[in-house]
Amino acid sequence: MASTIARTAGRALFGENALAYAAFRPAYPERVFDILRTRCGAGEGKTVFEVGAGTGLATAPLLAMGCRVTAVEPDARLAAFLADSQAVHASRLAVQIAPFEEAVMPPGSFDLGIAATSLHWIDPGLALTRAFRLLRPGGHWAMWWNIFGDPDETDTFQRRTHGLFERLSKSPSHGDGPKGHFGLDTKRRVVELEQAGFGSILAEEVRWRPVLSRPQILGLTATFSPVARLPEIERREFLDRLGAIVDEEFGGSVSRHFMTAIYTARRP
């Protein structure tokens, strides 16, 4: 049975090539930001903290809305990329280089907290309890995951390459629930939110169907933690095998079935 990557590994696993991470990780669907605006009140002047901001896939749209964001990122390389790429918003962006568990932020001072494809790298009970305390009464919490495969409607490429990925270590995003992903284990995620004190909990799944070229498939796959942690030679061999499948069996481009699972909640 494949081993599971330790949660603490996420603090330093993705910063080796921040530029590639920013280039190949797809943007979050616009529906996510519609939810943040309409359900969570994100907008001009709102204070937001972000757990595991990475290169800013969620940070940038929030700044564009006019939010004031405290981005917490444990990897100094990703944090530097984020600060540089959002320099135009420097007056509304603070970047803390620290694990979320150790970041220094005043309790009860934020309108909104978010975790975008990051909470599985932290103990969810500890993270949600801390998030609850950082929010003002009436403040909102949102957490979501881009999931690169739809368990309810798997695509041909996912079925064809399943055996390749099965041999790798498992990310903490690989869940024990019936749908096989941390973000899709809805019952458990809702219970954790309730145990942390949250109410008004809503869950939604957003489906999207991108067509990806060979460079996009390989670039995205290289950012997956089980692939990123492989020794360089093994990583190249894995990506070469994947590229050959794209070229020889799919004609150089692949239609994928992706989805985003989002949860929102409110501190009473």
Side-chain angles (χ1 to χ4, degrees):
M1 183 176 179
S3 61
T4 299
I5 300 168
R7 283 182 172 140
T8 52
R11 298 178 181 181
L13 193 56
F14 302 104
E16 187 67 28
N17 192 341
L19 186 62
Y21 191 95
F24 292 110
R25 283 275 172 151
Y28 295 110
E30 183 55 37
R31 174 61 182 156
V32 167
F33 302 101
D34 289 341
I35 289 171
L36 296 184
R37 282 187 288 263
T38 60
R39 198 182 295 169
C40 302
E44 193 70 35
K46 297 294 185 178
T47 55
V48 182
F49 69 88
E50 181 178 2
V51 180
T55 59
L57 286 175
T59 324
L62 286 167
L63 290 168
M65 290 182 203
C67 297
R68 303 182 65 86
V69 181
T70 298
V72 180
E73 172 51 55
D75 192 310
R77 298 161 296 183
L78 295 178
F81 183 96
L82 172 59
D84 290 344
S85 65
Q86 298 302 314
V88 67
H89 298 300
S91 64
R92 290 187 286 107
L93 173 64
V95 181
Q96 284 203 35
I97 304 173
F100 178 60
E101 304 93 320
E102 300 171 13
V104 178
M105 292 181 283
S109 59
F110 292 92
D111 300 306
L112 171 64
I114 71 164
T117 315
S118 63
L119 197 74
H120 54 280
W121 290 107
I122 310 172
D123 179 280
L126 294 176
L128 292 174
T129 297
R130 179 148 209 239
F132 183 90
R133 292 171 180 165
L134 290 172
L135 293 169
R136 296 187 176 97
H140 289 84
W141 168 254
M143 58 186 189
W144 67 89
W145 288 263
N146 271 355
I147 300 164
F148 305 113
D150 185 339
D152 295 325
E153 190 182 348
T154 57
D155 59 64
T156 306
F157 184 77
Q158 183 179 359
R159 293 193 295 272
R160 172 62 182 87
T161 59
H162 175 77
L164 290 178
F165 287 95
E166 275 294 291
R167 302 185 187 107
L168 302 179
S169 299
K170 301 299 182 187
S171 163
S173 66
H174 183 83
D176 296 326
K179 293 190 177 183
H181 192 282
F182 185 93
L184 295 176
D185 193 349
T186 306
K187 289 183 179 179
R188 186 172 296 185
R189 301 290 81 80
V190 169
V191 166
E192 290 164 351
L193 287 164
E194 291 172 339
Q195 290 175 339
F198 286 103
S200 303
I201 300 166
L202 293 171
E204 183 173 324
E205 295 176 359
V206 182
R207 286 173 166 79
W208 39 297
R209 302 291 186 256
V211 176
L212 303 180
S213 66
R214 182 183 190 273
Q216 289 173 316
I217 287 283
L218 298 187
L220 172 59
T221 302
T223 72
F224 295 166
S225 56
V227 178
R229 73 193 296 266
L230 290 172
E232 185 176 358
I233 293 175
E234 290 181 37
R235 185 168 63 249
R236 288 180 180 176
E237 290 175 348
F238 182 90
L239 294 172
D240 285 345
R241 288 197 298 272
L242 203 64
I245 292 172
V246 175
D247 287 339
E248 296 168 12
E249 301 180 34
F250 292 86
S253 67
V254 180
S255 177
R256 295 301 322 272
H257 293 182
F258 289 171
M259 61 189 300
T260 303
I262 180 168
Y263 300 76
T264 58
R266 183 173 179 270
R267 175 176 176 170

